[in-house]
Amino acid sequence: MQPEQFNTLLRFFKALADDSRLKIVGILANQECSVEELAVLLQLKEPTVSHHLAKLKELNLVTMRPEGNSRLYQLDSEALQSISKEIFTPEKIASLIEDVDTEAWESKVLKNYFEGDTQRLKEIPASRKKRLVILKWLANQFDVGVNYPEHLVNDILKPYHLDCATLRRELIACKLMQREDGVYWRITIDIKDE
């Protein structure tokens, strides 16, 4: 996400992170109103309503048109749709974490479940999400494209945890490995946490 888009998104959420401004947007989505009308509807003072409208105008979410001595405000639905199309896409929202270390949590799980330098697994995590982190790490101990007989899978897993049978079943259940006729092999599919 571009820095200016990030700032727009931040300003958008800050502007709408106020109960009164959200209500103003809701009212103006249905009808044009003057500051006086909004003040009565929201039971606020007119200067307070003007302040909220100024914040919404900074983002071009409301427009104003003069009518006699009054000024009527309404929601600019095109500006709202533009922000939605420009910024509220799954790709743009996902890009908010570009500078975040997404593997930090996985590293912490590995550190918490493995004993220091010995690389022994203290226990198999009960949490599905944490267990998947451990299983992905264990799957990386096997080479892609190599067939392993069950006794060799056990030999590779035993230094990490004595319950090889559970680990083998879990690796297969999580689709990190496959098994047929006592032969195991690693699967290269990237697993997403559900």
Side-chain angles (χ1 to χ4, degrees):
M1 182 175 284
Q2 300 295 323
E4 63 273 3
Q5 289 176 323
F6 184 84
N7 287 333
T8 300
L9 184 63
L10 196 57
R11 285 189 0 254
F12 179 83
F13 282 124
K14 281 183 178 179
L16 295 181
D18 181 274
D19 185 43
S20 297
R21 283 196 282 272
L22 276 175
K23 288 178 181 175
I24 288 171
V25 167
I27 291 168
L28 296 180
N30 290 320
Q31 64 188 34
E32 285 185 317
C33 286
S34 67
V35 171
E36 181 183 7
E37 291 171 311
L38 287 168
V40 170
L41 289 169
L42 297 170
Q43 299 177 356
L44 296 172
K45 295 183 187 221
E46 289 182 26
T48 303
V49 171
S50 293
H51 168 77
H52 289 311
L53 286 169
K55 292 283 186 189
L56 295 171
K57 280 175 64 177
E58 285 176 15
L59 289 170
N60 300 317
L61 288 176
V62 296
T63 58
M64 183 272 299
R65 70 175 182 85
E67 187 174 280
N69 292 335
S70 294
R71 293 183 178 143
L72 296 178
Y73 293 86
Q74 67 181 19
L75 178 68
D76 187 342
S77 57
E78 288 178 19
L80 190 60
Q81 288 174 349
S82 172
I83 289 174
S84 178
K85 286 179 187 174
E86 210 176 294
I87 297 175
F88 289 116
T89 65
E91 296 80 21
K92 296 283 184 169
I93 297 298
S95 73
L96 291 172
I97 63 164
E98 286 173 350
D99 61 346
V100 173
D101 181 4
T102 55
E103 294 178 8
W105 183 79
E106 289 184 1
S107 296
K108 182 180 180 202
V109 169
L110 291 171
K111 184 179 176 186
N112 287 343
Y113 280 89
F114 281 104
E115 293 176 1
D117 297 333
T118 64
Q119 291 289 316
R120 295 271 310 156
L121 189 57
K122 295 175 189 175
E123 63 180 312
I124 299 171
S127 157
R128 182 180 176 276
K129 195 170 180 181
K130 290 178 182 177
R131 187 171 48 244
L132 185 57
V133 170
I134 300 297
L135 292 170
K136 283 183 189 178
W137 187 89
L138 288 170
N140 283 327
Q141 308 313 305
F142 297 88
D143 293 320
V144 175
V146 176
N147 290 335
Y148 296 90
E150 189 169 296
H151 72 85
L152 189 52
V153 173
N154 289 341
D155 290 346
I156 292 170
L157 293 175
K158 268 186 188 162
Y160 304 111
H161 196 275
L162 293 177
D163 191 354
C164 300
T166 297
L167 292 176
R168 285 194 324 264
R169 280 193 303 272
E170 290 287 334
L171 286 165
I172 291 168
C174 290
K175 299 184 174 143
L176 295 166
M177 293 188 83
Q178 280 190 328
R179 174 185 179 231
E180 188 175 310
D181 297 327
V183 176
Y184 294 75
W185 62 93
R186 183 170 163 208
I187 300 175
T188 58
I189 298 171
D190 187 30
I191 302 297
K192 298 279 186 198
D193 296 344
E194 295 175 359

